[in-house]
Amino acid sequence: MQLNLPVFDQLSSCQNLLIAGMGGGFDLFCGLPIYFELQSRGQQAHLASFSFSSISRLRDGVCLSHTLVGVTADNRGPAIYFPELYLAQWFREKRSEEVPIWCFEKTGPRPLLDNYRALVEHLTIDGILLIDGGVDSLMRGDEASLGTVIEDASSLAAVDELEEIPLRMVACLGLGAEQDVTYTQVFENIAALTQAGGFLGSCSMTGQMEACQLYEDAVRCVHDKPFQPPSVINASVISAVQGQFGDYHLTEKTRGSRLWISPLMPIYWFFDLPAVAERNLFLADIRGADTFMEAAFAMLESRRKKPIRKATRIPL
C-alpha cells in the first residue's frame, strides 16, 4: 500500500527536493514517510533539520558553514541529544544507505537564510518541503494559544525569502498532539488558507504502508538510544496509526500527563508555503534577527502589540 500524496505530481517535478524539519531534531522524522514514499518511486530527495543540537561544535561531517553541517553516521556528536546523528546511523544499519542529514544550527532567520542558500547551491535544490511535527506553523500570531512557534516561524521566514525555488511547501503531521495550541483557531486558519488557494490537500498514513513501517522503525530505534528523550508528537502519531485512542502513552515521558490520541494525528496537511507566510503577522518582525533569542524577543514584542482573537469551543 502506498502513501497517497495529493501533491505527488508537484513533488515529483523536482530534480532535487529538500525535506527539512522546521524546528527540533524530531520534526524531520515526521517527513520520513514522505521521503520513503518518494524514494520508492525513484524520486531524489535530501533530508535537513533545524536542529536543537550544537552543530557549530562539530568537527567532522560535510561543513558548508560553521552552522550548517551534513551529519553522517560517522559523526561524533557534540552532545548527548542528537537524533539526526542516530537517524543517519539507522539508515546505515537498517538500509545500508549513507544518507547525510543536513543540520542547521538554531540561529535567527537571517543566518538561517544564508545557510539555506548555501545548501540550495551545494545540492542544486529546486524544491523545499518544510515539515512541522504538529500544526503550530500555521499560527498567525493572534491566536489565544500559539504553541512553540518561533522555530517554525524562523524556518518559514528563511524559506519564504527563497523566491527563486520553484516549489516551496509546508506539511504538517500530528494534529492534536500539541496541548498548548488553540485548535478552533487552527481550523479557522486552515479554512482561510483554503479560501486563498493555499491548502493543497491531505492524506493519512496506515500501518499497512511500507513507508509508515520504516518511519516507525526509525523513530523507535532513535527513542531507544541512551539519553534520547522520546518525541511526544512522533510517539502520538505512531500510537494513532496503531489504532490507539484517548489517554494512551507509548513512552514513559508522557506518564502523568493526559493525552488525547486520535485518528487525526496520522493525517498529513499540505500547504503552499508563501500563502502560509503571507498570513503570518510577525514574520516581518523576525526576518532580520541574527540569533534565536533575538527572533524570540521580536516575536513576543510583535504579539504584545496585536489584539488576540477570542477562541471558541469546537462544536464536535
Side-chain angles (χ1 to χ4, degrees):
M1 183 180 292
Q2 292 181 318
L3 182 61
N4 187 24
L5 294 168
V7 293
F8 175 73
D9 288 344
Q10 296 98 307
L11 297 179
S12 63
S13 69
C14 300
Q15 296 297 313
N16 285 290
L17 175 70
L18 182 67
I19 299 175
M22 294 185 78
F26 277 107
D27 263 16
L28 172 60
F29 285 68
C30 290
L32 288 178
I34 298 173
Y35 174 84
F36 293 130
E37 184 61 43
L38 293 176
Q39 188 184 50
S40 73
R41 303 189 195 190
Q43 177 79 15
Q44 174 73 19
H46 306 272
L47 299 175
S49 174
F50 189 31
S51 182
F52 283 0
S53 299
S54 299
I55 303 307
S56 60
R57 293 174 56 193
L58 288 174
R59 295 295 178 264
D60 48 8
V62 184
C63 297
L64 297 189
S65 79
H66 79 286
T67 52
L68 170 57
V69 176
V71 174
T72 71
D74 294 323
N75 268 92
R76 296 180 298 276
I80 292 173
Y81 179 80
F82 206 169
E84 295 95 342
L85 169 61
Y86 294 122
L87 177 58
Q89 292 176 350
W90 178 88
F91 271 106
R92 173 184 286 179
E93 294 164 4
K94 294 297 185 73
R95 293 178 62 79
S96 300
E97 296 175 359
E98 300 299 325
V99 178
I101 312 298
W102 295 94
C103 292
F104 303 104
E105 180 89 5
K106 192 166 72 169
T107 65
R110 186 156 60 180
L112 181 59
L113 171 59
D114 291 339
N115 279 333
Y116 260 106
R117 284 185 168 140
L119 189 57
V120 164
E121 181 178 358
H122 181 71
L123 298 176
T124 320
I125 295 298
D126 57 354
I128 299 176
L129 178 62
L130 288 184
I131 301 294
D132 181 17
V135 293
D136 50 8
S137 60
L138 305 180
M139 293 305 193
R140 285 166 43 88
D142 60 353
E143 292 82 6
S145 184
L146 293 180
T148 54
V149 298
I150 187 58
E151 295 91 347
D152 297 343
S154 296
S155 293
L156 189 64
V159 177
D160 185 49
E161 292 286 320
L162 298 174
E163 296 181 358
E164 67 275 19
I165 302 297
L167 181 142
R168 290 168 295 157
M169 292 182 186
V170 173
C172 300
L173 181 70
L175 175 63
E178 295 157 308
Q179 298 189 357
D180 51 356
V181 166
T182 309
Y183 284 102
T184 51
Q185 293 172 333
V186 170
F187 290 128
E188 185 180 5
N189 293 349
I190 292 175
L193 283 164
T194 302
Q195 289 182 17
F199 174 51
L200 305 178
S202 59
C203 64
S204 187
M205 287 193 295
T206 69
Q208 292 84 5
M209 296 174 180
E210 182 182 11
C212 182
Q213 294 165 5
L214 292 170
Y215 154 71
E216 179 177 347
D217 190 75
V219 171
R220 287 182 178 274
C221 179
V222 176
H223 279 183
D224 287 342
K225 296 294 183 180
F227 310 112
Q228 294 301 293
S231 164
V232 175
I233 289 179
N234 282 286
S236 298
V237 170
I238 291 170
S239 298
V241 168
Q242 294 173 344
Q244 304 297 338
F245 181 79
D247 194 22
Y248 176 81
H249 299 259
L250 184 69
T251 72
E252 290 297 321
K253 180 179 179 178
T254 56
R255 300 286 181 185
S257 65
R258 184 169 180 81
L259 300 182
W260 188 65
I261 306 300
S262 87
L264 292 172
M265 291 178 178
I267 298 176
Y268 278 109
W269 304 75
F270 294 92
F271 301 91
D272 175 68
L273 187 146
V276 175
E278 184 178 5
R279 286 181 44 80
N280 191 294
L281 297 175
F282 56 78
L283 229 55
D285 298 303
I286 71 170
R287 287 187 193 277
D290 287 316
T291 69
F292 178 79
M293 291 307 299
E294 286 175 3
F297 283 127
M299 186 207 75
L300 291 173
E301 181 63 16
S302 175
R303 178 170 167 80
R304 187 182 65 82
K305 297 177 181 178
K306 294 176 174 61
I308 303 301
R309 272 189 284 162
K310 184 179 180 180
T312 58
R313 190 170 181 272
I314 297 177
L316 293 178

